[in-house]
Amino acid sequence: MPGGDAREAVKTVTGSFEDFPYLPELPARGPGADMIGRTSGMLVELYARVEPSGWRIGDRPGRDTRRAWGWLREDLDALEEFTQGYEGDLKVQAVGPWTLAAALELRGGEAALSDPGACRDLAASLAEGLRLHLAEVRRRVPGARVLLQLDEPSLTAVLRGQVRTASGYRTHRAVDRQLVEHTLRDVIGAHPDGPVAVHSCAPDVPFALLRRAGADAVSFDFALLTERDDDVIGEAVEAGTRLFAGVVPGTDGPLSDPAGSVMGVRTLWRRLGLHPGLLAEAVTLTPACGLAGASPAYARRALAQCVQAARSLADNPE
């Protein structure tokens, strides 16, 4: 979400999504509130600090780690305040293991992705940190059914060997798909008591791999789909995987009417030959990606658009 006021952001979210609120991230506050810094602060026995080139793994918690802890505590305080007595679904999110490995630097300045051992340690630390974080969320909002979202915008680049080295002249070797799947399965296993969604706003989301890794839902930018994705999407829906379809742009711009926002979803459904009655059960409508780059006014309109479009889809699936 845009801005730096945690209470205002949570108030906006809980007011917009009465039955599916989430814990906002406010990266405009600076290092430690950004997605990489925030998740780095969740790691157990691994710490990171800000260098000119980005976040780098260090030996001990420093100012940047303590700042990340402070921002997260502030956000959780606000969430607890505005969800008193709430019972229902609640989403929290963290960066997934492969995007984290592509973004965090080792001591020499190269990405953790370059070292298989570092990737293993990072995934294990993340899984343990997520267990602790989810327990804290459940303690603060005891009536919530917590959904964990893992943000993996770099996943496709990791699979294709497109993540650049520190020099910028080469790319890191593609990671074996079975290893990617296995690591994701381990991290997804940190939340055995609730659903897990994996989000990627990049093209060519590996739906089948994510489904095999245990993701209950896949979140994606609907505008990036092509017809070659039809088969894997149809298989995912028939296997019970929920689709978080990003149909509302994440940055300021004109918004169509709510029915227009879901025209493409209806078209996809007809193309796949799926029963229209499945739509409300299988699809959740979301912004295409995060709203941190939007104005506060547009962010509020985008959230409202998602709610109105979902009602339109449920009332008139055909």
Side-chain angles (χ1 to χ4, degrees), residues 26 37 42 54 77 119 165 191-192 198 211 234 237 282 290 299:
L26 302 174
M42 297 180 188
D77 288 345
C119 290
T165 60
H191 188 38
V198 178
R211 181 165 56 84
V237 172

Side-chain angles (χ1 to χ4, degrees), residues 20-23 79 86 88-92 137 141 144-147:
F20 194 25
Y22 58 88
L23 177 65
L79 181 71
Y86 174 74
D89 293 326
L90 171 68
K91 183 172 75 72
V92 300
V137 172
V141 193
R145 174 179 178 258
V146 181
L147 180 147

Side-chain angles (χ1 to χ4, degrees), residues 138-160:
R138 286 192 291 266
R139 184 186 70 79
R140 288 173 178 262
V141 193
R145 174 179 178 258
V146 181
L147 180 147
L148 170 64
Q149 175 177 303
L150 296 175
D151 290 323
E152 284 282 18
S154 299
L155 182 58
T156 300
V158 168
L159 289 167
R160 292 183 172 180

Side-chain angles (χ1 to χ4, degrees), residues 115-135:
D115 184 334
C119 290
R120 286 193 299 271
D121 292 345
L122 192 57
S125 175
L126 175 62
E128 184 58 30
L130 287 173
R131 289 186 188 97
L132 296 174
H133 177 55
L134 292 164

Side-chain angles (χ1 to χ4, degrees), residues 160-247:
R160 292 183 172 180
Q162 295 172 337
V163 177
R164 292 202 169 274
T165 60
S167 69
Y169 295 117
R170 296 184 298 109
T171 57
H172 293 288
R173 183 179 303 174
V175 180
D176 180 78
R177 296 181 76 88
Q178 288 187 328
L179 176 58
V180 169
E181 181 183 324
H182 175 77
T183 301
L184 280 168
R185 186 180 298 113
D186 286 348
V187 175
I188 287 171
H191 188 38
D193 301 324
V196 177
V198 178
H199 167 75
S200 176
C201 50
D204 299 319
V205 176
F207 287 91
L209 184 152
L210 296 177
R211 181 165 56 84
R212 291 194 304 270
D216 300 286
V218 179
S219 173
F220 56 95
D221 183 345
F222 190 85
L224 297 179
L225 288 184
T226 66
E227 290 193 18
R228 68 172 180 267
D229 296 310
D230 284 4
D231 288 344
V232 290
I233 290 177
E235 290 169 5
V237 172
E238 289 174 350
T241 304
R242 193 169 184 89
L243 305 180
F244 282 22
V247 298

Side-chain angles (χ1 to χ4, degrees), residues 233-281:
I233 290 177
E235 290 169 5
V237 172
E238 289 174 350
T241 304
R242 193 169 184 89
L243 305 180
F244 282 22
V247 298
V248 177
T251 53
D252 290 45
L255 292 173
S256 65
D257 65 283
S261 295
V262 293
M263 187 180 304
V265 178
R266 290 193 183 96
T267 301
L268 171 66
W269 227 244
R270 286 194 295 269
R271 201 164 67 230
L272 294 176
L274 296 170
H275 191 280
L278 272 176
L279 268 171
E281 299 174 15

